[in-house]
Amino acid sequence: MRSPALFLLLLFALGACKHTGPTPSTPTALLTAHPWHVVALTTTTGGRTTDRYADIPSCSRDNRLQFYTDHRLVTDEGASRCAATDPQQQTGQWQWAAGETQLTGAVPYLPYLLASTLTVRELSPSSLRLRYQETNSPDFADLTFEAD
């Protein structure tokens, strides 16, 4: 005899599952699926890692990056702007490099990284981790973004 409790548990578990559609499967599909916002910043200098997220002005933490398949990159200031004269959106460009393991281009949201190469450390449906490292330097910065 089958247990009604087990049946109800399985029915509840199946009903709780949400089908959200197929997960993007290529790096471009993952990158362009939705906007991204920064949730962590660390720097590593001389082998010592320091959390620098608190150094990001609060007016920049709500900014969003949106990558598009035509290689446009739109940055949005979010609800708070650092200066009233800041444009709500800026457009740059991005490209894959090194077999879709690096991003290059002009990134208005990260002006100190303009024309930089960023190594993609992680790219999933919900997380994007990028590393900036100067040529011939052991020091680097890691930026972590979450999907909106």
Side-chain angles (χ1 to χ4, degrees):
M1 179 173 199
R2 294 191 177 135
S3 166
L6 180 58
F7 175 75
L8 289 174
L9 180 62
L10 286 172
L11 185 63
F12 176 75
L14 289 173
C17 295
K18 279 200 294 187
H19 179 61
T20 58
T23 300
S25 59
T26 67
T28 299
L30 288 166
L31 189 65
T32 61
H34 39 69
W36 300 92
H37 65 277
V38 68
V39 294
L41 169 63
T42 61
T43 58
T44 301
T45 305
R48 183 172 168 222
T49 300
T50 305
D51 185 347
R52 298 281 185 200
Y53 183 74
D55 296 340
I56 300 172
S58 60
C59 58
S60 294
R61 291 183 196 164
D62 67 347
N63 292 5
R64 301 296 188 256
L65 294 174
Q66 176 69 61
F67 295 85
Y68 291 92
T69 57
D70 64 0
H71 298 280
R72 283 179 303 125
L73 171 61
V74 175
T75 60
D76 188 278
E77 281 293 314
S80 62
R81 295 185 193 184
C82 295
T85 57
D86 287 347
Q88 184 64 40
Q89 292 188 333
Q90 296 181 60
T91 302
Q93 82 273 336
W94 68 275
Q95 295 290 327
W96 285 116
E100 297 182 331
T101 62
Q102 295 178 334
L103 291 170
T104 62
V107 184
Y109 174 64
L110 307 166
Y112 53 93
L113 295 177
L114 287 176
S116 297
T117 297
L118 303 169
T119 301
V120 178
R121 306 278 294 159
E122 176 186 349
L123 179 55
S124 73
S126 61
S127 182
L128 170 63
R129 286 186 31 221
L130 302 175
R131 176 168 287 176
Y132 170 74
Q133 187 166 11
E134 296 268 345
T135 304
N136 300 321
S137 172
D139 303 335
F140 55 87
D142 285 323
L143 287 150
T144 302
F145 297 86
E146 284 185 356
D148 281 350

